[in-house]
Amino acid sequence: MTFNKKYSARTVPAVLAIGIFMGGVFTGCGPVATQGGVNYVDRQETSMPAANNKDEQDKIMKDFQAMIENDVKLPEIIKFVDANISKVSKEKAAKMVDELEKLQQEFLPDIDKRFYSDGTIQAKMSEAFAEGFDLDKIFAIEDEKVKGLLEETKNSGYKVETAEGMFFPVIDYEFYKKYSEYVTEDIREYINIMAVESSSTPAKDAALVIGWDEVLKRASNQEKFINQYKDSVKVDKVRELHRKYLTFTLFGLNNTPLFEYDSKAMDPKAKEAYLKFLEYGNSSEFRTIVKDYMSLLEKSGYKLTDEVVKFRENLVGKSN
């Protein structure tokens, strides 16, 4: 995913450079429906859209697959999905969304290169962004080449992000919310989780840009998904995201370290957020990790010691 590409080894402590590289309450898990060898989970019974029988739905899926195999451009595939996703079952709709995301991930490196193919592109975006620091201002650029690239980016389901002074495309998961009512429960919740990441990226320039409380909240929601939808086609992607948030929780980032480099003392805002987090909610594996971590830190006066270092390294090793 995009954030994995943008997070380099220097954005986490050196000890994590190897093996580690973007809410709500979930209810009971239901029956597993298999579509094309991939499991999609929905606790509600599958219902056929009244206006479409199996043959009609199969034709829609066949046409969708043909577009993929013939390398039809993303904007056209998106138009097809928009027009047909309400006409098929939840499982088939989930399959369409899954395939669409794969196509976006596959095409992302190509469109990303075009953001750097001409030095003037970044310069013009930077100039527009500097006028009030509103990222949406770049879409008002009149240069035909840049305008065309940005329109294609948007029509392909991406948005533009900026970090370290550069502009680049990422998948816009808010865009997927229009499909939420048509897909299975697990895909709907996956969209919600990823939309949070897309709307408010957790880190930029090797620093957290969300609060410690938000880090813990997102990690908890990710864990709920993993436990709720063990058979989901998206569970591995959420596990990967959760591992990143475990890293944030135990280490912070280079420019937002959990412990001060000189004094080794825990960030006071993080300490407050972690203790408050433990006051509420049900027990879970992640909550137990935070509880054990804070219990160990309490003994050390909330300072980074060799014992604390060993504790978090063991946890990170187990998560990979």
Side-chain angles (χ1 to χ4, degrees):
M1 307 222 26
T2 304
F3 54 73
N4 289 334
K5 179 175 67 116
K6 294 300 172 185
Y7 288 114
S8 61
R10 68 177 183 274
T11 64
V12 293
V15 68
L16 295 179
I18 299 175
I20 298 180
F21 56 66
M22 205 148 107
V25 178
F26 302 108
T27 54
C29 179
V32 177
T34 301
Q35 171 67 28
V38 179
N39 291 328
Y40 296 93
V41 183
D42 194 329
R43 62 183 183 149
Q44 299 178 350
E45 293 184 4
T46 303
S47 58
M48 284 285 189
N52 296 277
N53 59 33
K54 183 178 182 300
D55 289 341
E56 290 172 324
Q57 292 189 60
D58 287 345
K59 183 180 185 305
I60 288 173
M61 297 306 293
K62 184 177 180 180
D63 291 344
F64 176 64
Q65 189 61 38
M67 294 180 76
I68 295 174
E69 293 174 358
N70 290 311
D71 296 324
V72 174
K73 291 186 176 182
L74 267 173
E76 293 305 312
I77 292 179
I78 289 171
K79 288 180 182 178
F80 181 88
V81 174
D82 289 349
N84 292 283
I85 195 167
S86 64
K87 302 174 183 177
V88 298
S89 67
K90 288 181 178 292
E91 289 73 28
K92 287 182 171 62
K95 176 71 172 176
M96 294 175 85
V97 167
D98 182 41
E99 291 296 332
L100 179 56
E101 185 191 31
K102 289 177 182 177
L103 288 172
Q104 285 187 294
Q105 291 168 340
E106 182 180 339
F107 183 61
L108 187 58
D110 293 328
I111 199 165
D112 183 75
K113 288 179 182 178
R114 293 168 59 189
F115 273 65
Y116 304 95
S117 62
D118 183 338
T120 63
I121 293 177
Q122 290 288 325
K124 290 182 182 297
M125 290 184 183
S126 181
E127 181 181 344
F129 175 63
E131 297 176 2
F133 297 98
D134 182 356
L135 195 56
D136 288 336
K137 285 183 179 294
I138 64 174
F139 288 97
I141 295 175
E142 295 182 358
D143 181 278
E144 290 300 321
K145 183 176 182 179
V146 178
K147 187 175 182 179
L149 174 59
L150 290 171
E151 286 180 352
E152 182 180 355
T153 299
K154 190 173 183 179
N155 292 337
S156 298
Y158 303 110
K159 59 183 288 189
V160 179
E161 274 289 353
T162 180
E164 299 181 353
M166 304 301 287
F167 297 85
F168 51 88
V170 298
I171 295 176
D172 182 7
Y173 283 95
E174 285 289 336
F175 151 89
Y176 277 93
K177 284 191 171 181
K178 60 185 175 181
Y179 304 136
S180 291
E181 65 178 293
Y182 305 113
V183 297
T184 53
E185 188 175 284
D186 63 312
I187 299 301
R188 182 164 59 250
E189 297 300 347
Y190 172 76
I191 290 171
N192 289 338
I193 286 174
M194 297 308 295
V196 169
E197 297 297 300
S198 176
S199 299
S200 178
T201 186
K204 287 186 180 182
D205 301 334
L208 287 173
V209 293
I210 59 175
W212 296 104
D213 56 340
E214 181 67 13
V215 169
L216 298 171
K217 177 182 176 182
R218 293 188 189 186
S220 293
N221 286 334
Q222 294 151 12
E223 183 184 47
K224 288 176 184 177
F225 180 96
I226 293 166
N227 293 333
Q228 180 89 26
Y229 304 110
K230 292 181 173 65
D231 296 303
S232 173
V233 68
K234 296 302 184 184
V235 71
D236 286 340
K237 294 187 72 65
V238 178
R239 283 197 185 102
E240 180 183 355
L241 183 63
H242 185 65
R243 283 194 292 269
K244 186 177 74 170
Y245 273 82
L246 179 61
T247 302
F248 292 160
T249 301
L250 299 174
F251 293 83
L253 283 174
N254 282 359
N255 293 331
T256 314
L258 185 61
F259 300 95
E260 293 295 330
Y261 289 116
D262 295 330
S263 68
K264 305 297 182 182
M266 185 179 189
D267 182 299
K269 291 184 178 180
K271 176 183 173 182
E272 180 183 357
Y274 286 26
L275 291 174
K276 186 174 181 180
F277 172 75
L278 294 174
E279 293 178 3
Y280 305 99
N282 299 322
S283 62
S284 68
E285 183 177 351
F286 178 69
R287 187 174 294 276
T288 299
I289 288 172
V290 176
K291 181 179 179 180
D292 291 346
Y293 198 37
M294 293 302 286
S295 295
L296 183 60
L297 285 169
E298 184 179 14
K299 296 176 183 177
S300 70
Y302 296 98
K303 288 192 174 184
L304 183 64
T305 63
D306 290 342
E307 191 176 4
V308 174
V309 169
K310 184 177 180 180
F311 175 88
R312 65 184 189 178
E313 287 181 353
N314 285 338
L315 280 173
V316 169
K318 290 178 182 178
S319 70
N320 291 318

